[in-house]
Amino acid sequence: MNKETRRIFYQRLAGLDPNPTTELNYSTPFELLTAVLLSAQATDVGVNKATKRLFPVANTPESILALGLEGLESYIATIGLYHSKAKHLLQTCQMLIDLHGSEVPQDRASLEALPGVGRKTANVVMNTAFGIPTIAVDTHIFRVSNRTGLAPGKDVKVVEEKLLKVTPGEFKLNAHHWLILHGRYVCKARKPECWSCVVNDVCDYKSKQITPPPGR
Protein backbone atom coordinates (compact mmCIF):
# COMPACT_ATOMS: atom_id res chain seq x y z
CA MET A 1 0.00 0.00 0.00
CA ASN A 2 1.42 3.39 -0.99
CA LYS A 3 0.78 6.94 0.17
CA GLU A 4 -2.16 7.49 -2.16
CA THR A 5 -3.90 4.19 -1.41
CA ARG A 6 -3.48 4.80 2.33
CA ARG A 7 -5.25 8.13 1.94
CA ILE A 8 -8.06 6.47 -0.01
CA PHE A 9 -8.23 3.76 2.67
CA TYR A 10 -8.81 6.26 5.45
CA GLN A 11 -11.10 8.49 3.39
CA ARG A 12 -13.48 5.62 2.80
CA LEU A 13 -13.50 4.49 6.42
CA ALA A 14 -14.13 8.10 7.41
CA GLY A 15 -17.00 8.27 4.95
CA LEU A 16 -18.70 5.37 6.71
CA ASP A 17 -18.27 6.87 10.18
CA PRO A 18 -17.06 10.49 10.32
CA ASN A 19 -16.98 10.64 14.13
CA PRO A 20 -16.04 7.23 15.49
CA THR A 21 -15.51 6.51 19.16
CA THR A 22 -14.95 3.62 21.52
CA GLU A 23 -17.73 1.11 22.12
CA LEU A 24 -16.97 1.19 25.84
CA ASN A 25 -19.52 3.22 27.78
CA TYR A 26 -18.10 6.07 29.84
CA SER A 27 -18.81 9.69 30.77
CA THR A 28 -15.54 10.84 32.40
CA PRO A 29 -11.84 10.16 31.85
CA PHE A 30 -11.78 8.09 35.04
CA GLU A 31 -14.70 5.94 33.84
CA LEU A 32 -12.88 5.41 30.54
CA LEU A 33 -9.65 4.48 32.29
CA THR A 34 -11.57 2.02 34.47
CA ALA A 35 -13.38 0.48 31.50
CA VAL A 36 -10.21 0.10 29.43
CA LEU A 37 -8.34 -1.41 32.37
CA LEU A 38 -11.16 -3.94 32.77
CA SER A 39 -11.31 -4.69 29.04
CA ALA A 40 -8.06 -6.65 28.73
CA GLN A 41 -8.92 -10.11 27.36
CA ALA A 42 -12.60 -9.24 27.66
CA THR A 43 -15.23 -7.93 25.25
CA ASP A 44 -16.52 -4.38 25.30
CA VAL A 45 -20.03 -5.79 25.67
CA GLY A 46 -19.02 -7.71 28.77
CA VAL A 47 -17.27 -4.70 30.28
CA ASN A 48 -20.26 -2.46 29.58
CA LYS A 49 -22.56 -4.88 31.40
CA ALA A 50 -20.34 -4.72 34.47
CA THR A 51 -19.79 -0.97 34.45
CA LYS A 52 -23.52 -0.38 33.97
CA ARG A 53 -23.89 -1.76 37.49
CA LEU A 54 -20.65 -0.34 38.90
CA PHE A 55 -20.59 3.27 37.75
CA PRO A 56 -23.93 4.37 39.28
CA VAL A 57 -22.53 3.20 42.63
CA ALA A 58 -18.86 4.11 42.28
CA ASN A 59 -17.26 6.14 39.48
CA THR A 60 -14.50 8.09 41.23
CA PRO A 61 -11.20 6.93 42.71
CA GLU A 62 -12.53 7.56 46.22
CA SER A 63 -15.80 5.68 45.73
CA ILE A 64 -14.08 2.71 44.07
CA LEU A 65 -11.63 2.51 46.97
CA ALA A 66 -14.51 2.63 49.42
CA LEU A 67 -15.92 -0.59 47.93
CA GLY A 68 -12.83 -2.55 48.94
CA LEU A 69 -11.59 -5.61 47.08
CA GLU A 70 -14.56 -7.89 47.72
CA GLY A 71 -17.06 -5.12 47.05
CA LEU A 72 -15.43 -4.20 43.74
CA GLU A 73 -15.15 -7.83 42.70
CA SER A 74 -18.87 -8.31 43.23
CA TYR A 75 -19.51 -5.85 40.40
CA ILE A 76 -16.89 -7.12 37.94
CA ALA A 77 -16.86 -10.87 38.63
CA THR A 78 -18.37 -11.56 35.18
CA ILE A 79 -15.21 -10.19 33.52
CA GLY A 80 -12.19 -12.41 32.90
CA LEU A 81 -9.23 -11.99 35.27
CA TYR A 82 -11.49 -9.93 37.52
CA HIS A 83 -9.47 -10.58 40.69
CA SER A 84 -6.20 -9.14 39.38
CA LYS A 85 -8.06 -6.34 37.61
CA ALA A 86 -9.79 -5.38 40.85
CA LYS A 87 -6.47 -5.24 42.67
CA HIS A 88 -4.90 -3.12 39.94
CA LEU A 89 -7.88 -0.78 39.83
CA LEU A 90 -7.79 -0.21 43.59
CA GLN A 91 -4.06 0.47 43.45
CA THR A 92 -4.59 2.83 40.53
CA CYS A 93 -7.28 4.71 42.44
CA GLN A 94 -4.93 5.20 45.37
CA MET A 95 -2.19 6.52 43.09
CA LEU A 96 -4.59 8.90 41.37
CA ILE A 97 -5.58 10.31 44.75
CA ASP A 98 -2.05 10.51 46.11
CA LEU A 99 -0.23 11.76 43.02
CA HIS A 100 -2.75 13.40 40.70
CA GLY A 101 -5.46 15.01 42.81
CA SER A 102 -7.90 12.22 41.83
CA GLU A 103 -7.62 13.26 38.18
CA VAL A 104 -6.53 11.04 35.30
CA PRO A 105 -3.17 12.30 33.98
CA GLN A 106 -2.85 13.07 30.29
CA ASP A 107 0.79 12.12 29.72
CA ARG A 108 2.00 8.66 28.79
CA ALA A 109 4.60 8.27 31.53
CA SER A 110 2.12 8.99 34.33
CA LEU A 111 -0.52 6.73 32.81
CA GLU A 112 1.87 3.82 32.28
CA ALA A 113 3.02 4.15 35.90
CA LEU A 114 -0.49 3.17 37.05
CA PRO A 115 -0.93 -0.53 37.97
CA GLY A 116 -2.46 -2.55 35.14
CA VAL A 117 -2.02 0.27 32.62
CA GLY A 118 0.25 -0.60 29.70
CA ARG A 119 1.05 1.25 26.51
CA LYS A 120 -2.17 0.23 24.76
CA THR A 121 -4.40 1.39 27.63
CA ALA A 122 -2.46 4.65 27.92
CA ASN A 123 -2.90 5.27 24.18
CA VAL A 124 -6.64 4.65 24.36
CA VAL A 125 -7.09 7.07 27.26
CA MET A 126 -4.87 9.73 25.70
CA ASN A 127 -6.70 9.48 22.37
CA THR A 128 -10.31 9.02 23.46
CA ALA A 129 -10.45 11.06 26.66
CA PHE A 130 -8.05 13.86 25.77
CA GLY A 131 -8.00 14.04 21.97
CA ILE A 132 -4.30 13.24 21.59
CA PRO A 133 -3.57 11.63 18.16
CA THR A 134 -2.20 8.30 19.35
CA ILE A 135 -2.97 4.87 17.91
CA ALA A 136 -3.43 1.99 20.33
CA VAL A 137 -2.64 -1.28 18.55
CA ASP A 138 -4.81 -4.17 19.71
CA THR A 139 -5.31 -7.51 17.99
CA HIS A 140 -7.80 -6.01 15.50
CA ILE A 141 -5.51 -3.15 14.46
CA PHE A 142 -2.48 -5.44 14.31
CA ARG A 143 -4.38 -7.81 11.99
CA VAL A 144 -5.82 -5.08 9.75
CA SER A 145 -2.47 -3.31 9.45
CA ASN A 146 -0.66 -6.47 8.39
CA ARG A 147 -3.38 -8.07 6.27
CA THR A 148 -4.18 -4.98 4.22
CA GLY A 149 -0.59 -3.78 3.89
CA LEU A 150 -1.47 -0.50 5.61
CA ALA A 151 1.39 -0.74 8.12
CA PRO A 152 2.84 -4.25 8.36
CA GLY A 153 5.05 -5.14 11.30
CA LYS A 154 6.16 -8.10 13.39
CA ASP A 155 4.89 -6.76 16.72
CA VAL A 156 2.47 -4.17 18.06
CA LYS A 157 5.14 -1.55 18.77
CA VAL A 158 6.44 -1.70 15.20
CA VAL A 159 2.91 -1.47 13.81
CA GLU A 160 2.11 1.48 16.07
CA GLU A 161 5.24 3.33 14.95
CA LYS A 162 4.48 2.63 11.28
CA LEU A 163 0.86 3.73 11.61
CA LEU A 164 1.88 7.01 13.22
CA LYS A 165 4.37 7.53 10.38
CA VAL A 166 2.17 6.66 7.40
CA THR A 167 -1.28 7.83 8.57
CA PRO A 168 -2.08 11.26 7.06
CA GLY A 169 -2.31 13.94 9.74
CA GLU A 170 -5.99 14.66 9.28
CA PHE A 171 -6.84 11.02 10.02
CA LYS A 172 -4.58 10.35 13.02
CA LEU A 173 -7.04 11.39 15.72
CA ASN A 174 -9.68 8.87 14.62
CA ALA A 175 -7.50 6.19 13.01
CA HIS A 176 -7.52 4.06 16.15
CA HIS A 177 -11.31 3.76 16.16
CA TRP A 178 -11.71 3.28 12.40
CA LEU A 179 -9.21 0.44 12.36
CA ILE A 180 -10.66 -1.33 15.41
CA LEU A 181 -14.20 -1.15 14.06
CA HIS A 182 -13.06 -2.32 10.63
CA GLY A 183 -11.25 -5.28 12.16
CA ARG A 184 -14.11 -6.12 14.49
CA TYR A 185 -16.93 -6.08 11.96
CA VAL A 186 -15.45 -6.47 8.46
CA CYS A 187 -11.81 -7.55 8.39
CA LYS A 188 -12.47 -10.35 10.86
CA ALA A 189 -9.82 -12.77 12.05
CA ARG A 190 -11.04 -16.04 10.55
CA LYS A 191 -13.25 -14.96 7.67
CA PRO A 192 -12.79 -11.37 6.50
CA GLU A 193 -15.90 -10.14 4.72
CA CYS A 194 -14.05 -8.75 1.73
CA TRP A 195 -17.19 -8.69 -0.39
CA SER A 196 -18.68 -5.97 1.80
CA CYS A 197 -15.43 -4.06 2.41
CA VAL A 198 -15.23 -0.48 1.13
CA VAL A 199 -11.45 -0.69 0.75
CA ASN A 200 -11.11 -4.10 -0.91
CA ASP A 201 -9.73 -2.59 -4.11
CA VAL A 202 -6.83 -0.85 -2.33
CA CYS A 203 -6.11 -3.69 0.12
CA ASP A 204 -3.06 -5.91 -0.42
CA TYR A 205 -4.65 -9.08 1.01
CA LYS A 206 -3.96 -11.79 -1.55
CA SER A 207 -6.72 -14.21 -0.46
CA LYS A 208 -9.59 -11.73 -0.57
CA GLN A 209 -12.99 -13.16 -1.48
CA ILE A 210 -14.89 -10.52 -3.38
CA THR A 211 -17.92 -12.71 -4.17
CA PRO A 212 -20.10 -13.24 -1.09
CA PRO A 213 -20.70 -16.84 -0.05
CA PRO A 214 -24.17 -18.32 -0.55
CA GLY A 215 -26.70 -16.87 1.81
CA ARG A 216 -24.78 -13.64 2.43
Side-chain angles (χ1 to χ4, degrees):
M1 196 176 289
N2 58 36
K3 183 177 180 180
E4 181 57 31
T5 53
R6 288 189 185 100
R7 180 172 295 279
I8 293 170
F9 184 96
Y10 280 115
Q11 284 175 335
R12 291 183 185 170
L13 295 184
L16 291 177
D17 190 356
N19 300 295
T21 189
T22 179
E23 293 187 319
L24 291 169
N25 296 331
Y26 76 99
S27 59
T28 66
F30 177 73
E31 287 188 357
L32 177 64
L33 174 62
T34 298
V36 178
L37 195 154
L38 296 175
S39 70
Q41 299 182 46
T43 65
D44 288 359
V45 172
V47 172
N48 287 338
K49 287 181 179 178
T51 56
K52 184 178 181 180
R53 297 175 57 240
L54 173 64
F55 287 159
V57 175
N59 69 340
T60 64
E62 291 82 359
S63 57
I64 294 283
L65 271 178
L67 291 176
L69 182 61
E70 290 187 4
L72 177 56
E73 286 182 346
S74 70
Y75 286 98
I76 66 171
T78 55
I79 300 174
L81 306 176
Y82 72 92
H83 183 67
S84 61
K85 290 177 181 179
K87 289 170 61 178
H88 286 153
L89 180 54
L90 291 172
Q91 293 167 350
T92 285
C93 289
Q94 191 64 62
M95 287 183 65
L96 291 176
I97 294 169
D98 294 343
L99 302 178
H100 304 288
S102 299
E103 298 294 326
V104 176
Q106 299 187 28
D107 65 287
R108 180 185 304 283
S110 296
L111 284 166
E112 290 188 11
L114 299 171
V117 176
R119 186 178 183 87
K120 183 178 74 173
T121 297
N123 277 337
V124 172
V125 173
M126 290 166 64
N127 178 262
T128 305
F130 302 119
I132 299 170
T134 60
I135 300 177
V137 180
D138 69 348
T139 56
H140 295 299
I141 293 181
F142 184 78
R143 179 177 66 254
V144 169
S145 297
N146 277 284
R147 179 184 278 165
T148 64
L150 177 66
K154 62 181 181 179
D155 58 50
V156 294
K157 184 72 185 307
V158 171
V159 170
E160 178 188 331
E161 291 172 346
K162 281 193 175 182
L163 283 171
L164 289 172
K165 181 179 179 180
V166 304
T167 299
E170 66 266 37
F171 299 118
K172 279 186 181 177
L173 180 61
N174 292 320
H176 166 78
H177 299 299
W178 284 321
L179 296 176
I180 281 182
L181 294 172
H182 189 63
R184 186 173 288 166
Y185 297 112
V186 181
C187 198
K188 300 176 182 179
R190 294 186 178 180
K191 294 183 179 180
E193 298 182 1
C194 303
W195 57 89
S196 64
C197 176
V198 297
V199 293
N200 59 28
D201 59 323
V202 296
C203 166
D204 292 342
Y205 183 45
K206 291 181 172 54
S207 302
K208 65 183 73 170
Q209 182 180 346
I210 301 301
T211 304
R216 298 303 297 265

